[in-house]
Amino acid sequence: VGTDAYMAPEQCRPEQRLVGPAADVWGLGATLHEALRGEPAFPRGSDTEGASPAERWPQLERAPAPLPAWSPSELSEVIGAALAYEAADRPTAREVAEMVEPLLRRPRRLLLNRLKPR
């Protein structure tokens, strides 16, 4: 179904059968979160036999780890929106692209200065 750390909540629930494009947006959000923070958005779940869904997939009950204070607020907002628990609350992939594109247009030097820890 997917890699545990990047699976959307709807992918983690055994009773849930409808998984769509919003799960891909979650995976992108989880990837961006890890790229910015240097660690996954959620702790590693248990892979022991008999583990409950919440034990295996912490994203079912926990909020993502906070992003660094030095993170550009615009990027933090995009990541937070992509990691919304409910699929219907997440932006579409197109909306994510539209939110990220202006950040990519910034002069590299300015963006890197904002990303640098102080």
Side-chain angles (χ1 to χ4, degrees):
V1 175
T3 304
D4 286 1
Y6 305 92
M7 286 173 52
E10 61 269 22
Q11 290 176 285
C12 303
R13 288 187 229 126
E15 72 281 356
Q16 185 75 30
R17 297 282 183 230
L18 299 174
V19 176
D24 293 330
V25 170
W26 173 281
L28 175 60
T31 301
L32 291 172
H33 189 286
E34 185 170 347
L36 190 58
R37 186 170 184 264
E39 295 178 17
F42 301 92
R44 185 178 179 93
S46 173
D47 59 358
T48 60
E49 190 174 328
S52 72
E55 290 169 329
R56 179 161 181 198
W57 299 290
Q59 58 267 47
L60 287 173
E61 293 185 346
R62 297 180 72 162
L67 289 167
W70 50 264
S71 303
S73 60
E74 302 96 326
L75 186 55
S76 295
E77 289 174 21
V78 171
I79 294 169
L83 292 176
Y85 186 83
E86 295 295 334
D89 294 337
R90 291 180 216 136
T92 65
R94 176 186 213 101
E95 290 168 334
V96 170
E98 289 170 351
M99 290 185 276
V100 170
E101 187 195 8
L103 299 174
L104 298 175
R105 287 186 187 171
R106 289 184 183 169
R108 185 174 181 191
R109 181 173 29 102
L110 291 176
L111 184 58
L112 288 176
N113 286 341
R114 289 199 62 192
L115 289 175
K116 194 181 304 178
R118 295 180 178 145

